[in-house]
Amino acid sequence: MSNELLHIEGSVENIIYTNEDNGYIVLDLKSKDEKITVVGLLGNIEEGEILILEGNYTTHKKYGIQFSAEYCERKLPDKAVNIEKYLASGAIKGIGPGLAKKIVKFFGDNTLNIMEKNPDKLCQIKGISPKKCREITNESQKIFLLRIITSYLAQYEIKAQYAMKLYRKYGTDSMNLLKVNPYILCSEGIELEFEKVDIIANDLNIAKNADCRVIAGIQRILCKNLDDGHSCLPVENIIETIMPELDITQKDFLNSYNNAVKNKELFSYKINDKEYVYLPDYYNAENFIAKKINALCKSSSSTENVDCDALIDIEEQEHNIKYEGKQRLAIATAVSKGIMVLTGSPGTGKTTTLNAIISILEKKGDKVLLSAPTGRAAKRMSELTGREAKTIHRLLEVAYSTDDKLVFIHNENNPLECDAIVIDEMSMVDCILFEKLLRALRHNCKIIMVGDFHQLPSVGAGNLLKDIIRSNAVPVIELTEIFRQAQESCIIMNAHRIVSGKYPDISQKRNDFFFLAVDDHETAAGLIVYLTKTRLPNHYEYSPVDDIQIITPSHKGSVGTEEMNIRLQLELNPPDDNKKEYKLFGNTYRVGDKVMQMQNNYDIVWKKGTEEGTGIFNGDIGKITDINENTQSVFVNFDGRRAVYSFDTLAQIELAYAITVHKSQGCEFEAVIMPVMDGFDRLCYRNLLYTAVTRAKKLLILVGSEEQIHNMVDNNQQTKRYTCLRDMLQRKENQNG
């Protein structure tokens, strides 16, 4: 089969579907005497335009043969009939079908040329006043400029969606800025690959050591490392990487780097003799967090005039409970101080302590808000406390600014109405989100952070909870006593053994913790499918989809998420003539599938009864309930919130019969099955095993090698994350101290 792209040309007859956010479009193209359905990321195209396309024909299960366009050259129509159709489509604001007919009748084939070069002549047409003429001129100039940008980038096989992003960000200055500094195409909100921009820059004769190129290269490295959790990087690390990549000298680097710091395009922070470099958002976030925490600690340095012991005694009497010493200390600290951390492993009474804190604060008349980083963590918090808990995003409320940037409704100017806030699963919260939350809290709002610092750090950049604890800037109470009821759980007892560096007891074949020895990956995968589909549902009456979760260290391999999801989908939700499905990039999405959102999406609309909202977030797990081919929509239920995805946004969700340990954070499942096999040396460490074990509520099954379990427990080398927050907290504390 030839991979050579086909070439077609024609005029746009009809726009069937368009997604303004990413430029995906479905249209009918008249090519000679043939009508062709075209699909692709082509941008904001209007009826009547002339398109020159390259791509290939594909066959859609329902809609038949379509032309999937990979590259597009756009031409404004040059014949009166197409120009009228183009203007009548609403392409230019202020021109409808009636006025389009008048303009084209007056200027004929020369209409668009007149509108671009001599727009004042529009005043010659009856009904177009000078004011109306100016309005049409302003709108039409935007269209012509966007066409120029699109055509310019098309020379480099850059898709129209990037031209749209550039224009949205920089407006009428886009082309001028692009010619001076093409690396603006790498900036936030556009994010074109550096290598493609480098080709444009070379054609514009921009020097290899030009500031714009070197700074863009630094920013690219910093952005790439955000995915590994680094909020900053040592300057020396960047120098080692960037000099050979950009073919520049150290002097070139330092000149550009110093200019970037001077202009606040980058930020520098020094710890002793070592210098670290930040992107502005991450420096501002960690710096603000340090200042805010320092201020809260300073304002609550003397305890409130409250008899905490008496309040705790009353709580014990009312609930017929006896708090142990550290629990009492934690409750008293939360009530009397402005900020604190409550930490501890499972079974040590965090929930009991937290319920007492909330109860006492409410009795004092405080309004307490409960929050967590994910929907599942918030739901679990609600179940454990008997009070409403919201995700941090929902608490802050997402909106868009006048320049179309994502913002939160609650901030310094519109703070949350609360006297105290409890944030659960703090190990999952990254520095950017925490900064936004802190900005939305009044200066006298109490902050109670709850989490287990032994778990994996956040998916986003930073090492927030550990940095705060290790800084000693904030009161930290760690609960360590395992209560009698918890001691009956092998899951909890083995979790404590793992976190303290001892091997879990895998010899028992009872209770809630089981180990099944398997030598090879393929056999392990088959056993996991059998346990999920047959053994556990028959023995425990668990739902294979709703109650059982496969948690695996890696995406790759026979027991990785990719292959396990294919196997489990086939066994648990097989193809059926009565089940709708849709295929995208080799993946099959079928009604009944368990899926997970893989990135934050603030725009997806959801409904829950009479409640409506927007936003589905990284790690949310749901189930596909319907697929509508006519509207090209997929409906997913996320714990009662019914969200709608268009087909072109489906890449944001993945099958979730099996998920990685990292993606399981903040969740609890009735039963967890985890493969522990060799071959994942990079993911063979203690707190990954501990995090997986603590996701199970009632049943945990480890499948694999005892030696691998021991290797994971023995390896307590935590993944290094570059961040300066700990030093910022300590330095602020010392300076004020």
Side-chain angles (χ1 to χ4, degrees), residues 383-410:
E383 293 168 351
L384 293 173
T385 62
R387 295 164 173 85
E388 182 185 24
K390 293 183 178 181
T391 64
I392 297 172
H393 293 91
R394 284 189 67 200
L395 206 62
L396 296 176
E397 297 183 67
V398 175
Y400 286 93
S401 63
T402 52
D403 57 353
D404 209 30
K405 286 187 178 179
L406 187 77
V407 295
F408 289 114
I409 289 174
H410 292 287

Side-chain angles (χ1 to χ4, degrees), residues 152-345:
Y152 180 77
L153 294 181
Q155 299 174 78
Y156 299 95
E157 299 185 343
I158 295 169
K159 293 181 179 178
Q161 67 187 97
Y162 291 103
M164 291 171 62
K165 289 178 179 179
L166 177 69
Y167 184 79
R168 281 180 182 172
K169 185 167 184 177
Y170 295 105
T172 54
D173 290 332
S174 297
M175 201 64 204
N176 292 333
L177 291 172
L178 182 61
K179 292 290 183 71
V180 174
N181 176 14
Y183 295 97
I184 59 174
L185 289 166
C186 298
S187 65
E188 185 182 5
I190 305 174
E191 293 156 20
L192 183 62
E193 296 95 325
F194 183 89
E195 291 76 12
K196 286 192 174 184
V197 180
D198 233 9
I199 296 170
I200 300 173
N202 186 58
D203 286 352
L204 292 171
N205 296 317
I206 292 175
K208 286 184 177 181
N209 63 351
D211 277 359
C212 61
R213 182 171 185 263
V214 178
I215 293 167
I218 298 170
Q219 291 168 336
R220 178 184 63 153
I221 293 170
L222 289 171
C223 286
K224 187 177 178 182
N225 279 273
L226 293 174
D227 293 336
D228 293 324
H230 304 298
S231 59
C232 60
L233 286 176
V235 172
E236 60 194 40
N237 291 24
I238 295 180
I239 292 175
E240 290 174 8
T241 304
I242 205 170
M243 282 171 56
E245 278 190 2
L246 299 192
D247 189 22
I248 58 172
T249 66
Q250 185 168 338
K251 183 180 178 182
D252 293 332
F253 170 85
L254 291 173
N255 284 338
S256 297
Y257 169 69
N258 290 328
N259 287 335
V261 171
K262 182 180 178 181
N263 296 325
K264 298 189 175 179
E265 294 174 86
L266 299 169
F267 280 82
S268 166
Y269 188 88
K270 291 183 179 178
I271 301 177
N272 299 322
D273 294 328
K274 196 159 189 173
E275 185 173 0
Y276 296 84
V277 58
Y278 279 90
L279 293 167
D281 286 350
Y282 290 85
Y283 174 81
N284 291 333
E286 291 195 351
N287 189 47
F288 180 83
I289 290 167
K291 285 182 177 180
K292 180 81 172 185
I293 287 177
N294 175 254
L296 281 166
C297 291
K298 188 176 181 182
S299 66
S300 64
S301 57
S302 58
T303 58
E304 292 182 14
N305 186 22
V306 177
D307 188 345
C308 293
D309 285 333
L311 293 173
I312 296 169
D313 290 342
I314 293 169
E315 205 66 26
E316 286 182 331
Q317 292 168 11
E318 287 183 358
H319 297 282
N320 192 26
I321 195 170
K322 186 70 177 174
Y323 302 112
E324 58 95 13
K326 283 192 174 179
Q327 285 182 306
R328 291 183 70 95
L329 177 59
I331 298 165
T333 303
V335 172
S336 62
K337 299 290 185 180
I339 187 169
M340 74 161 296
V341 172
L342 173 63
T343 187
S345 297

